[in-house]
Amino acid sequence: MKVTVWNEFRHEKESEEVRSIYPEGIHQQIASFIEGAEVTTATLDEPEHGLTEDVLNQTDVLIWWGHKAHDDVQDAIVDRVHKRVLEGMGLIVLHSGHFSKVFKKLMGTGCDLKWREAGEKERIWTVMPNHPIAEGLGEYFELEQEEMYGEHFDIPAPEELLFVSWFQGGEVFRSGATFRRGNGKIFYFRPGHETYPTYYNENVQRVINNAVKWARPTTNAYPTYGNYQPLEDLNKGEKSDV
């Protein structure tokens, strides 16, 4: 299995606070704990954002983290990722990737929400404990400091709701949800603000690793579309004019 971790890699270059937590970039920290896969990374400022046709064609699961530069992602690359998801590539969208062009294109909604950055506690409840992405987790786990996301989260009704977050300020949020588009499987996972060490948390790492395994492509063939030749002889059985 081949996994590509995509990150804007802008905060880490511009903010000493973020750089002190993720000195090699959020993408490298995520790549460091992915298990059982060949892992590569790609970032916004690389040619074609690091997501060339060749890279995506070889990617089984794409992990996406973005925040401050969603508009800088070229529409042609968004279309390329969208096409690969429909063909069967798995997609894991993390934290503020909810506002990425590709996630909004796949969801067909605005994907907006309430937010507050106050370093408050997040308690993440497992509400579908029999799901493969929840394997190895307890009833809940906590992050001592995170950015708050609150409902309403403007997404389609999830096919499966795995996690619900409660925040110290009182809000709740659908923080782990799955979707299917075409042949591809999509998982959105809320935690991961850049100024907190969320991606060092063992439970967060377990969720992402489980999600990579769940989202990997199936062997199902991608359907054919458009004008189609008949399987049977359309003239068979017609009476002769003679």
Side-chain angles (χ1 to χ4, degrees), residues 6 42-54 56 74 77 80:
W6 191 90
T43 58
L44 179 63
D45 293 323
E46 296 177 38
E48 300 182 65
H49 309 321
L51 300 175
T52 64
E53 293 274 9
D54 186 57
L56 286 176
Q74 299 171 24
I77 306 303
R80 185 181 294 172

mmCIF file of all heavy atoms in Angstrom, residues 6 42-54 56 74 77 80:
data_model
loop_
_atom_site.group_PDB
_atom_site.id
_atom_site.type_symbol
_atom_site.label_atom_id
_atom_site.label_comp_id
_atom_site.label_asym_id
_atom_site.label_seq_id
_atom_site.Cartn_x
_atom_site.Cartn_y
_atom_site.Cartn_z
ATOM 1 N N TRP A 6 -0.236 14.908 2.271
ATOM 2 C CA TRP A 6 -0.159 16.248 1.689
ATOM 3 C C TRP A 6 -0.391 17.302 2.759
ATOM 4 O O TRP A 6 -1.290 17.178 3.593
ATOM 5 C CB TRP A 6 -1.202 16.413 0.584
ATOM 6 C CG TRP A 6 -0.994 17.669 -0.217
ATOM 7 C CD1 TRP A 6 -0.232 17.806 -1.342
ATOM 8 C CD2 TRP A 6 -1.561 18.963 0.042
ATOM 9 N NE1 TRP A 6 -0.282 19.113 -1.789
ATOM 10 C CE2 TRP A 6 -1.089 19.838 -0.958
ATOM 11 C CE3 TRP A 6 -2.409 19.465 1.030
ATOM 12 C CZ2 TRP A 6 -1.435 21.191 -1.005
ATOM 13 C CZ3 TRP A 6 -2.758 20.811 0.990
ATOM 14 C CH2 TRP A 6 -2.281 21.648 -0.019
ATOM 15 N N ALA A 42 3.946 15.315 0.075
ATOM 16 C CA ALA A 42 3.827 16.334 -0.964
ATOM 17 C C ALA A 42 3.355 17.616 -0.294
ATOM 18 O O ALA A 42 2.610 17.572 0.699
ATOM 19 C CB ALA A 42 2.841 15.896 -2.044
ATOM 20 N N THR A 43 3.787 18.765 -0.818
ATOM 21 C CA THR A 43 3.430 20.042 -0.217
ATOM 22 C C THR A 43 2.995 21.045 -1.279
ATOM 23 O O THR A 43 3.271 20.881 -2.469
ATOM 24 C CB THR A 43 4.600 20.631 0.590
ATOM 25 O OG1 THR A 43 5.732 20.798 -0.263
ATOM 26 C CG2 THR A 43 4.974 19.710 1.757
ATOM 27 N N LEU A 44 2.343 22.083 -0.816
ATOM 28 C CA LEU A 44 1.695 23.056 -1.692
ATOM 29 C C LEU A 44 2.655 23.715 -2.678
ATOM 30 O O LEU A 44 2.320 23.916 -3.849
ATOM 31 C CB LEU A 44 1.014 24.127 -0.839
ATOM 32 C CG LEU A 44 0.302 25.259 -1.562
ATOM 33 C CD1 LEU A 44 -0.851 24.739 -2.393
ATOM 34 C CD2 LEU A 44 -0.183 26.301 -0.555
ATOM 35 N N ASP A 45 3.849 24.068 -2.227
ATOM 36 C CA ASP A 45 4.748 24.871 -3.053
ATOM 37 C C ASP A 45 5.625 24.050 -3.993
ATOM 38 O O ASP A 45 6.466 24.621 -4.700
ATOM 39 C CB ASP A 45 5.614 25.768 -2.159
ATOM 40 C CG ASP A 45 4.767 26.828 -1.457
ATOM 41 O OD1 ASP A 45 3.816 27.332 -2.088
ATOM 42 O OD2 ASP A 45 5.043 27.139 -0.287
ATOM 43 N N GLU A 46 5.445 22.751 -4.009
ATOM 44 C CA GLU A 46 6.126 21.926 -5.000
ATOM 45 C C GLU A 46 5.427 22.083 -6.349
ATOM 46 O O GLU A 46 4.251 22.473 -6.415
ATOM 47 C CB GLU A 46 6.098 20.457 -4.583
ATOM 48 C CG GLU A 46 6.858 20.145 -3.300
ATOM 49 C CD GLU A 46 6.711 18.687 -2.910
ATOM 50 O OE1 GLU A 46 6.710 17.819 -3.810
ATOM 51 O OE2 GLU A 46 6.562 18.419 -1.700
ATOM 52 N N PRO A 47 6.121 21.805 -7.457
ATOM 53 C CA PRO A 47 5.446 21.821 -8.766
ATOM 54 C C PRO A 47 4.227 20.908 -8.758
ATOM 55 O O PRO A 47 4.293 19.779 -8.264
ATOM 56 C CB PRO A 47 6.534 21.304 -9.716
ATOM 57 C CG PRO A 47 7.825 21.654 -9.047
ATOM 58 C CD PRO A 47 7.566 21.495 -7.572
ATOM 59 N N GLU A 48 3.106 21.417 -9.256
ATOM 60 C CA GLU A 48 1.825 20.696 -9.259
ATOM 61 C C GLU A 48 1.421 20.276 -7.841
ATOM 62 O O GLU A 48 0.714 19.289 -7.645
ATOM 63 C CB GLU A 48 1.877 19.485 -10.195
ATOM 64 C CG GLU A 48 2.170 19.858 -11.647
ATOM 65 C CD GLU A 48 2.176 18.673 -12.574
ATOM 66 O OE1 GLU A 48 1.117 18.045 -12.749
ATOM 67 O OE2 GLU A 48 3.253 18.367 -13.139
ATOM 68 N N HIS A 49 1.885 21.050 -6.861
ATOM 69 C CA HIS A 49 1.613 20.789 -5.433
ATOM 70 C C HIS A 49 2.088 19.393 -5.012
ATOM 71 O O HIS A 49 1.597 18.829 -4.023
ATOM 72 C CB HIS A 49 0.126 20.936 -5.115
ATOM 73 C CG HIS A 49 -0.485 22.216 -5.579
ATOM 74 N ND1 HIS A 49 0.163 23.430 -5.517
ATOM 75 C CD2 HIS A 49 -1.701 22.475 -6.135
ATOM 76 C CE1 HIS A 49 -0.617 24.383 -6.003
ATOM 77 N NE2 HIS A 49 -1.754 23.832 -6.403
ATOM 78 N N GLY A 50 3.042 18.840 -5.760
ATOM 79 C CA GLY A 50 3.531 17.503 -5.450
ATOM 80 C C GLY A 50 2.592 16.391 -5.846
ATOM 81 O O GLY A 50 2.866 15.220 -5.594
ATOM 82 N N LEU A 51 1.467 16.750 -6.462
ATOM 83 C CA LEU A 51 0.437 15.760 -6.801
ATOM 84 C C LEU A 51 0.343 15.611 -8.311
ATOM 85 O O LEU A 51 -0.677 15.914 -8.944
ATOM 86 C CB LEU A 51 -0.908 16.165 -6.201
ATOM 87 C CG LEU A 51 -0.924 16.284 -4.665
ATOM 88 C CD1 LEU A 51 -2.262 16.804 -4.182
ATOM 89 C CD2 LEU A 51 -0.586 14.949 -4.004
ATOM 90 N N THR A 52 1.410 15.127 -8.898
ATOM 91 C CA THR A 52 1.429 14.891 -10.334
ATOM 92 C C THR A 52 0.535 13.702 -10.681
ATOM 93 O O THR A 52 0.107 12.944 -9.802
ATOM 94 C CB THR A 52 2.859 14.596 -10.812
ATOM 95 O OG1 THR A 52 3.301 13.370 -10.191
ATOM 96 C CG2 THR A 52 3.818 15.726 -10.431
ATOM 97 N N GLU A 53 0.261 13.543 -11.956
ATOM 98 C CA GLU A 53 -0.515 12.382 -12.401
ATOM 99 C C GLU A 53 0.142 11.094 -11.936
ATOM 100 O O GLU A 53 -0.529 10.170 -11.455
ATOM 101 C CB GLU A 53 -0.633 12.392 -13.930
ATOM 102 C CG GLU A 53 -1.457 13.534 -14.498
ATOM 103 C CD GLU A 53 -2.936 13.210 -14.549
ATOM 104 O OE1 GLU A 53 -3.340 12.166 -13.996
ATOM 105 O OE2 GLU A 53 -3.677 14.017 -15.132
ATOM 106 N N ASP A 54 1.453 11.024 -12.070
ATOM 107 C CA ASP A 54 2.170 9.809 -11.696
ATOM 108 C C ASP A 54 2.058 9.530 -10.201
ATOM 109 O O ASP A 54 1.821 8.392 -9.791
ATOM 110 C CB ASP A 54 3.644 9.931 -12.110
ATOM 111 C CG ASP A 54 4.419 8.648 -11.875
ATOM 112 O OD1 ASP A 54 4.014 7.599 -12.416
ATOM 113 O OD2 ASP A 54 5.427 8.686 -11.137
ATOM 114 N N LEU A 56 -0.293 10.549 -8.055
ATOM 115 C CA LEU A 56 -1.654 10.156 -7.683
ATOM 116 C C LEU A 56 -2.025 8.781 -8.214
ATOM 117 O O LEU A 56 -2.733 8.020 -7.543
ATOM 118 C CB LEU A 56 -2.655 11.202 -8.170
ATOM 119 C CG LEU A 56 -2.681 12.508 -7.379
ATOM 120 C CD1 LEU A 56 -3.633 13.505 -8.023
ATOM 121 C CD2 LEU A 56 -3.072 12.268 -5.924
ATOM 122 N N GLN A 74 -4.463 24.805 -7.035
ATOM 123 C CA GLN A 74 -4.947 24.965 -8.408
ATOM 124 C C GLN A 74 -6.163 24.067 -8.653
ATOM 125 O O GLN A 74 -6.194 22.908 -8.240
ATOM 126 C CB GLN A 74 -3.833 24.602 -9.392
ATOM 127 C CG GLN A 74 -2.598 25.459 -9.298
ATOM 128 C CD GLN A 74 -1.469 24.913 -10.150
ATOM 129 O OE1 GLN A 74 -1.689 24.196 -11.118
ATOM 130 N NE2 GLN A 74 -0.251 25.238 -9.766
ATOM 131 N N ILE A 77 -5.537 20.657 -10.144
ATOM 132 C CA ILE A 77 -5.070 19.621 -9.212
ATOM 133 C C ILE A 77 -6.242 19.093 -8.397
ATOM 134 O O ILE A 77 -6.334 17.890 -8.114
ATOM 135 C CB ILE A 77 -3.967 20.169 -8.291
ATOM 136 C CG1 ILE A 77 -2.823 20.775 -9.119
ATOM 137 C CG2 ILE A 77 -3.436 19.067 -7.376
ATOM 138 C CD1 ILE A 77 -2.191 19.826 -10.107
ATOM 139 N N ARG A 80 -7.987 16.685 -10.465
ATOM 140 C CA ARG A 80 -7.174 15.464 -10.585
ATOM 141 C C ARG A 80 -7.375 14.567 -9.363
ATOM 142 O O ARG A 80 -7.539 13.349 -9.489
ATOM 143 C CB ARG A 80 -5.700 15.871 -10.727
ATOM 144 C CG ARG A 80 -4.738 14.731 -10.983
ATOM 145 C CD ARG A 80 -3.313 15.257 -11.086
ATOM 146 N NE ARG A 80 -3.125 16.116 -12.259
ATOM 147 C CZ ARG A 80 -2.030 16.823 -12.492
ATOM 148 N NH1 ARG A 80 -1.030 16.804 -11.624
ATOM 149 N NH2 ARG A 80 -1.934 17.555 -13.579
#
